[in-house]
Amino acid sequence: MPPNIAAPDVRAFQNRVADSIAAALKNARITHAVVLTSIGADKSDKTGPVVGLHYLEQQLNAIDGLNALYLRAGYFMENTLAQVGIIQKTGMAVGPIRPDLKLPMIATRDIGEAAANAILALSFHEKQTRELLGQRDINYNEVTAIIGKAIGKPDLKYVQAPDEQIRPALTQMGMSQSMADLLLEMSASLNSGYMRALEQRSVENITPTSYEAFVTEEFVPLYQSKSVAA
């Protein structure tokens, strides 16, 4: 589902895209599809933009003869790259997620590898789901400690900010009010446990990239480049 953070009605945009994808697969008589969705796609409401992925799954479920594998991925490690600018501006990491909430964080490159392997093997039949849960569950306190150590700020702290502070910051980043509201709804669903992984960890859903490796390879270079630019 391509992101469109500036859409005035993100859910309407998602449904149009999902309908187009479903129609294309049906009309082309595609037999196998690997589909990126998300943990929480089992829920039909209260999960923010993930509701759009639930809708996509439902539309594809209605296509007779389509073998579909839904890869329900965890929380993207790339989401934490937004902390680069926040740390540089405020001296701390800030977000809407509970600091102690363990999240199954995953690098998007690992999702790509899992999807490629699945479409090459074609070992799935009818409609199946498979969660991708990353190397381990990790919370934002731990995330911030790893980042702080890597960028030479060992005392770096994470602060959970209220929605009324986060919402204007999101819109200043170019998000529509609709997108900001959906992201905060998703954060609330994660914080409450309503949106969560359903599978136990196994060799099938664990992926190799650790958050430490991600920070070294992705976060630190971005942080350093923005520091030089500033």
Side-chain angles (χ1 to χ4, degrees):
M1 181 68 67
N4 186 352
I5 65 171
D9 186 339
V10 173
R11 284 289 302 108
F13 166 80
Q14 289 180 313
N15 286 0
R16 289 196 301 273
V17 172
D19 290 342
S20 295
I21 291 171
L25 292 175
K26 183 176 181 179
N27 292 339
R29 296 186 175 137
I30 298 298
T31 59
H32 290 77
V34 176
V35 187
L36 174 60
T37 64
S38 171
I39 61 168
D42 55 296
K43 304 290 195 302
S44 62
D45 64 355
K46 301 177 183 177
T47 60
V50 177
V51 173
L53 301 178
H54 172 85
Y55 179 83
L56 174 62
E57 288 190 9
Q58 295 304 306
Q59 298 309 105
L60 300 189
N61 284 343
I63 302 176
D64 292 335
L66 175 65
N67 301 286
L69 175 63
Y70 304 118
L71 296 179
R72 293 180 175 175
Y75 189 92
F76 291 177
M77 291 180 183
E78 282 78 2
N79 290 340
T80 67
L81 293 176
Q83 296 298 332
V84 167
I86 295 170
I87 292 167
Q88 290 173 335
K89 289 179 181 177
T90 69
M92 63 185 72
V94 182
I97 300 294
R98 278 176 27 216
D100 62 338
L101 178 65
K102 292 279 191 177
L103 294 167
M105 287 199 184
I106 186 168
T108 56
R109 66 190 182 202
D110 290 347
I111 301 172
E113 183 175 359
N117 289 338
I119 203 68
L120 287 171
L122 293 183
S123 59
F124 54 94
H125 305 284
E126 298 184 350
K127 310 299 191 295
Q128 298 179 17
T129 63
R130 173 184 165 199
E131 292 185 345
L132 295 176
L133 303 181
Q135 188 252 356
R136 71 187 192 276
D137 291 357
I138 185 170
N139 65 43
Y140 259 93
N141 279 337
E142 294 166 324
V143 161
T144 304
I146 292 166
I147 292 171
K149 181 179 179 181
I151 64 174
K153 295 180 180 292
D155 296 328
L156 188 68
K157 302 297 182 186
Y158 173 78
V159 175
Q160 180 186 0
D163 286 1
E164 55 266 25
Q165 291 182 14
I166 296 290
R167 186 175 285 104
L170 295 175
T171 55
Q172 287 171 15
M173 292 167 57
M175 293 186 189
S176 65
Q177 191 69 48
S178 171
M179 188 69 215
D181 289 344
L182 287 171
L183 283 182
L184 291 173
E185 180 180 82
M186 181 179 72
S187 297
S189 289
L190 288 167
N191 287 337
S192 70
Y194 176 74
M195 177 179 166
R196 65 187 186 279
L198 301 179
E199 296 178 11
Q200 297 294 317
R201 284 188 168 271
S202 68
V203 293
E204 285 79 22
N205 60 33
I206 291 176
T207 52
T209 304
S210 68
Y211 190 70
E212 288 84 353
F214 174 82
V215 167
T216 298
E217 297 167 18
E218 303 288 341
F219 193 100
V220 171
L222 182 61
Y223 182 87
Q224 290 175 339
S225 67
K226 287 189 175 292
S227 295
V228 170

